[in-house]
Amino acid sequence: MPAYTIVTTSATEGSEAAEVSTLADEFVDTSEALGYSRRMAEEMVGMARQLMLDFDYSNVGLYEGDLLEEDLNPEHPSFIGIWVLDQDGAAFVTAEEFDAGEVEADAP
């Protein structure tokens, strides 16, 4: 099974700090990793709604490979895509769309 790394980044309106978590796991294929990261993104949106938090920037990035020891960002060659979170929910942006500037990203 191939390994994938999922990076969650969240911050709320008015906060200078961001919480970043990284995990690597094996999935059957990209589709399964994408589904798992989607559920994580939806859970983050749900928690923000329950706590009545306004998003400043929050996302769930998906990378191919076990990359826990690397500095990951959307410019990394293993970047697959990112779930961009806002008050309306989670929307997936592929690496190609991200590179083309089809999303505004404030996250590090």
Side-chain angles (χ1 to χ4, degrees):
M1 284 196 233
Y4 292 86
T5 299
I6 299 171
V7 180
T8 60
T9 304
S10 62
T12 55
E13 194 72 41
S15 174
E16 294 292 322
E19 181 176 326
V20 180
S21 300
T22 306
L23 68 90
D25 206 346
E26 292 185 356
F27 296 91
V28 172
D29 56 22
T30 304
S31 178
E32 184 182 36
L34 190 60
Y36 184 84
S37 63
R38 184 198 81 236
R39 287 189 296 278
M40 290 179 73
E42 289 173 349
E43 285 179 15
M44 289 173 66
V45 170
M47 286 177 32
R49 286 183 182 145
Q50 286 179 351
L51 298 172
M52 292 181 277
L53 297 175
D54 293 327
F55 284 112
D56 185 7
Y57 59 86
S58 295
N59 57 61
V60 178
L62 182 60
Y63 299 82
E64 190 168 3
D66 184 346
L67 306 169
L68 287 178
E69 302 300 320
E70 297 193 36
D71 183 25
L72 297 174
N73 60 55
E75 287 79 36
H76 196 280
S78 66
F79 179 63
I80 295 172
I82 192 167
W83 290 97
V84 179
L85 314 181
D86 62 21
Q87 300 305 322
D88 297 325
F92 190 72
V93 178
T94 66
E96 293 79 19
E97 291 169 330
F98 192 91
D99 289 343
E102 295 180 27
V103 65
E104 291 182 24
D106 298 325

